Amino acid sequence: MDDSDMMRRLADKAGRGEGIGRDEIRWVLEQSDPARIGEICAAASAVRAKFLGNQACIHGIIEMSNICRRNCLYCGVRRDNRAVARYRLEPERIIELGAAAVKRFGYKMLVLQSGEDLYYTTGMLASVIKEITRQCGALIFLSIGERDETTYQKLYLAGARGTLFRFETSSPALYAKMHPGASFDERVAHLRFMKDIGYIVAAGPLIGLPGQTLETLADDIAFVRDLGALMVSTGPFIPHPLTPLAGSPVVPASLVRKAIAAARLAMPRVRIPVTTAMEHLWGDGFRRDALRSGANSFMLNLTPDDVRDRYDIYPDKNKRAECLHSAAAFAGVNAIIEECGMKLCRGFGIEFPVTDAAFAAGCSMDRT
Ligand code: 5AD
């Protein structure tokens, strides 16, 4: 089969809602001709429009704490980095920030993210979730790392409905190398029980980890598909000078764009956010490119000024203008969405099975 045949086959398959397979994903990632890449991205964008409409949505992230018991080789807030000033926000402050983001700035979805900081007990997290949803009915995603199944069950009952939980790489050997003392199997076990509990699971790899190849990246995207995640969270690895991976190269934007397109062609109905590391490296231009390659949501930072510089998972993470937490940031992204011929969705977004009666009853907002 020549490349034009392959292109047609991918577009047909994805257009039928089937989604492309692992070898087709790899083919997408291997392409280097800009015209061909343009064609692939346009096909991915058409698939997004066909299955999800021309809507995009915005998530707000509150980085609650940069204290972490893990020692992931790529991460600037890893346990062994003694140079980072640690912080943690108290529950009252998190509630205040979350509620303000919803009531004042118009956010509908919040991500509560932190290092693996066991200071936050299950009870504390549950009361934060309950209080925010009581005040404003936001859809809450947790991004707090590995906790046991009972904890995630309790937090679901408290009102959380999503988890952001990347597996970083689906190669067990590379996973073990990057995560001292942890295993890929444990990671996947968490993803499975989160799904079983009923969470909207967002998962995906880091793109460009040393040791990753196009083959393993294709495996990663196929893995998200096989998992049945409803959201794909991925982003470029950005080397941090105070980690063992300092000085590693950064991937080109084109590879991340191809990964977004491949994910869209493989999973016509999932949510694919433009994540903060993409914006950090490549700015507003990439936001547009990503929407035009099949992405359909954004992650904006809501961490308060007094601590935001310290959430340094990659260098200078929260220093760019794109990361401003304000009505202006929300409006800026909204303008980009419209520029790309899309509309901000008014509710929680598209194809999310937030159908349980109890949750719906406690939630007054309009859900698209
Ligand atoms: N560059 C890019 N992303 C990173 N993360 C951690 N460290 C880095 C880095 N140096 C990502 C991981 C993690 C998420 C919260 O942040 O994928 O899951």
Side-chain angles (χ1 to χ4, degrees):
M1 189 182 305
D2 73 13
D3 282 352
S4 306
D5 290 341
M6 186 66 160
M7 187 65 232
R8 252 191 312 278
R9 185 168 112 184
L10 301 196
D12 285 353
K13 236 184 176 178
R16 286 197 304 273
E18 240 178 74
I20 64 174
R22 192 249 171 229
D23 291 340
E24 292 154 327
I25 295 169
R26 192 200 51 200
W27 180 85
V28 167
L29 298 175
E30 276 167 357
Q31 299 309 301
S32 56
D33 171 30
R36 175 72 67 205
I37 295 173
E39 232 180 308
I40 292 168
C41 293
S45 190
V47 165
R48 191 253 310 127
K50 176 166 179 184
F51 292 99
L52 301 172
N54 277 320
Q55 298 188 73
C57 58
I58 300 180
H59 306 245
I61 307 186
I62 300 173
E63 293 153 339
M64 304 185 289
S65 160
N66 69 352
I67 296 172
C68 194
R69 64 184 171 136
R70 298 278 175 169
N71 223 1
C72 311
L73 262 57
Y74 46 80
C75 186
V77 303
R78 65 200 301 272
R79 189 184 62 220
D80 284 356
N81 182 3
R82 312 255 175 249
V84 68
R86 304 284 171 171
Y87 76 91
R88 88 165 47 99
L89 304 177
E90 290 300 328
E92 302 71 44
R93 183 125 191 248
I94 302 166
I95 293 165
E96 216 173 275
L97 289 163
V102 177
K103 292 185 202 155
R104 304 220 325 261
F105 301 152
Y107 286 83
K108 313 267 188 208
M109 289 171 287
L110 299 175
V111 180
L112 303 181
Q113 186 171 87
S114 68
E116 288 200 7
D117 181 358
L118 298 180
Y119 169 79
Y120 299 118
T121 60
T122 307
M124 272 159 109
L125 292 168
S127 62
V128 168
I129 295 162
K130 272 190 196 146
E131 189 52 27
I132 297 177
T133 48
R134 189 190 67 77
Q135 287 190 30
C136 55
L139 182 65
I140 296 186
F141 285 75
L142 298 170
S143 182
I144 55 171
E146 296 186 18
R147 302 252 181 161
D148 64 17
E149 186 167 357
T150 312
T151 300
Y152 272 101
Q153 260 156 358
K154 287 183 179 158
L155 299 180
Y156 186 89
L157 289 176
R161 284 297 176 272
T163 58
L164 237 74
F165 195 80
R166 291 186 182 168
F167 53 82
E168 322 292 358
T169 171
S170 63
S171 151
L174 185 56
Y175 189 94
K177 218 165 157 187
M178 292 291 140
H179 305 96
S183 81
F184 181 64
D185 286 351
E186 281 161 16
R187 196 76 182 165
V188 176
H190 281 79
L191 285 165
R192 296 210 195 284
F193 75 58
M194 287 167 180
K195 250 193 91 191
D196 288 345
I197 291 171
Y199 281 106
I200 295 159
V201 169
L206 266 174
I207 302 178
L209 281 178
Q212 184 183 68
T213 62
L214 291 188
E215 296 289 338
T216 63
L217 181 56
D219 290 341
D220 295 342
I221 296 171
F223 187 82
V224 189
R225 185 190 127 129
D226 296 345
L227 192 70
L230 293 174
M231 190 160 153
V232 181
S233 177
T234 187
F237 156 61
I238 307 176
H240 193 294
L242 300 175
T243 63
L245 301 183
S248 301
V250 174
V251 288
S254 60
L255 179 62
V256 175
R257 198 172 171 205
K258 286 184 283 182
I260 291 171
R264 173 57 69 210
L265 292 168
M267 294 164 273
R269 296 176 178 82
V270 293
R271 174 170 300 185
I272 305 180
V274 182
T275 54
T276 53
M278 301 177 195
E279 295 164 344
H280 179 83
L281 287 177
W282 306 306
D284 277 351
F286 193 85
R287 284 174 160 166
R288 293 186 192 91
D289 287 348
L291 286 184
R292 292 178 176 140
S293 309
N296 65 339
S297 72
F298 288 93
M299 295 281 170
L300 295 188
N301 196 286
L302 295 166
T303 308
D305 286 340
D306 55 322
V307 293
R308 58 188 357 231
D309 283 1
R310 298 188 227 163
Y311 200 79
D312 216 29
I313 54 181
Y314 46 83
D316 295 338
K317 176 178 183 298
N318 289 338
K319 295 218 172 103
R320 284 185 63 114
E322 279 86 356
C323 302
L324 288 176
H325 59 104
S326 65
F330 196 94
V333 165
N334 193 22
I336 288 173
I337 291 171
E338 292 188 353
E339 224 184 292
C340 293
M342 297 172 75
K343 273 208 153 49
L344 183 67
C345 67
R346 289 170 304 140
F348 292 147
I350 322 126
E351 291 282 326
F352 270 20
V354 188
T355 51
D356 49 313
F359 186 65
C363 165
S364 56
M365 75 178 55
D366 169 23
R367 280 183 284 134
T368 307

